[in-house]
Amino acid sequence: DSGVTQTPKHLITATGQRVTLRCSPRSGDLSVYWYQQSLDQGLQFLIQYYNGEERAKGNILERFSAQQFPDLHSELNLSSLELGDSALYFCASDSPNNEQFFGPGTRLTVL
Amino acid sequence: AQTVTQSQPEMSVQEAETVTLSCTYDTSESNYYLFWYKQPPSRQMILVIRQEAYKQQNATENRFSVNFQKAAKSFSLKISDSQLGDTAMYFCAFIQGAQKLVFGQGTRLTINP
């Protein structure tokens, strides 16, 4: 158990819909990173938050947005969903020595 | 741009054998960190081993060790006495500072009984 939690574990929804993925970092960690893993692909960085502020952005679609709340949990919002958005979405938090610890992921299926 | 390349999409060895997974990376920076992550069928991402670029000594964690060649920008993972539970996707990853991880495409490793 990495200490990073993600909910829900699975999401099945239809094209055009909107979903929210939730992540809580390890106790004491201030950063949250979101990654997307499509089928048989490596992980692609989406966005990073640090102590409530956006710090870095990757190839995140405009239909996707995220935020980090004062209690440091983060939410990733995916809207106008397309079939190609089906993927495993991970969040991670990092220790002071740059090790990133991953949550169990949310598997999103868009039908 | 920083890139990570894993040239072996799949590997298969017998239980108890030693296997080496290859990874090369590209960066112009001198301070960075390299990692190997394991992703078993459960899809959980598990940190296996970590190497700081400024350290010449290769990292070791039990049966897992790395061969870090900074000049060649090479970072291979050696698994000794392989076990069935080592069957997984293995991802090499690079990070510079408190930033995003850049991942390779992964090597699917199968340990056969």
Side-chain angles (χ1 to χ4, degrees):
Chain A
D1 184 356
S2 67
V4 178
T5 62
Q6 287 187 251
T7 56
K9 287 188 176 179
H10 302 278
L11 263 179
I12 301 175
T13 189
T15 54
Q17 295 298 306
R18 172 188 169 96
V19 297
T20 297
L21 284 54
R22 182 188 170 105
C23 167
S24 291
R26 297 186 318 159
S27 178
D29 290 349
L30 301 179
S31 272
V32 169
Y33 301 78
W34 286 97
Y35 294 88
Q36 178 192 56
Q37 185 180 30
S38 301
L39 186 64
D40 291 333
Q41 295 290 314
L43 282 80
Q44 301 294 321
F45 169 71
L46 294 177
I47 197 163
Q48 177 201 1
Y49 277 81
Y50 180 85
N51 202 21
E53 300 289 326
E54 181 184 304
R55 176 166 277 194
K57 247 182 179 178
N59 293 327
I60 187 168
L61 299 172
E62 285 191 11
R63 300 183 285 108
F64 295 2
S65 64
Q67 54 184 330
Q68 186 178 28
F69 294 87
D71 67 351
L72 301 178
H73 91 271
S74 177
E75 293 181 357
L76 179 66
N77 301 296
L78 315 176
S79 61
S80 302
L81 286 167
E82 302 175 358
L83 295 178
D85 298 328
S86 294
L88 196 52
Y89 291 85
F90 287 102
C91 79
S93 67
D94 61 358
S95 64
N97 60 358
N98 290 292
E99 294 176 347
Q100 289 193 15
F101 297 92
F102 284 75
T106 293
R107 179 175 294 282
L108 173 66
T109 302
V110 182
L111 300 175
Chain B
Q2 296 140 353
T3 58
V4 178
T5 302
Q6 293 179 248
S7 59
Q8 305 150 312
E10 293 190 24
M11 296 187 73
S12 178
V13 298
Q14 295 301 118
E15 193 176 7
E17 289 184 347
T18 294
V19 59
T20 299
L21 281 58
S22 301
C23 172
T24 58
Y25 58 95
D26 187 24
T27 181
S28 58
E29 303 297 327
S30 58
N31 285 333
Y32 49 88
Y33 301 83
L34 294 159
F35 304 88
W36 281 96
Y37 280 87
K38 169 184 178 181
Q39 188 177 41
S42 67
R43 306 306 295 268
Q44 174 75 48
M45 292 292 289
I46 302 167
L47 179 60
V48 174
I49 201 164
R50 168 179 179 269
Q51 175 77 45
E52 294 123 339
Y54 64 86
K55 287 188 176 179
Q56 291 187 340
Q57 185 174 4
N58 289 323
T60 298
E61 290 287 342
N62 300 313
R63 298 182 296 105
F64 298 86
S65 61
V66 298
N67 183 5
F68 174 48
Q69 302 289 328
K70 190 171 184 179
K73 296 180 182 175
S74 171
F75 182 60
S76 61
L77 174 70
K78 185 172 83 171
I79 306 174
S80 302
D81 186 25
S82 58
Q83 301 175 357
L84 297 179
D86 296 332
T87 292
M89 282 288 285
Y90 286 82
F91 292 97
C92 178
F94 167 102
I95 195 170
Q96 180 209 327
Q99 298 182 16
K100 64 179 182 180
L101 281 166
V102 177
F103 286 90
Q105 288 299 98
T107 296
R108 186 179 303 277
L109 175 64
T110 302
I111 309 298
N112 299 305

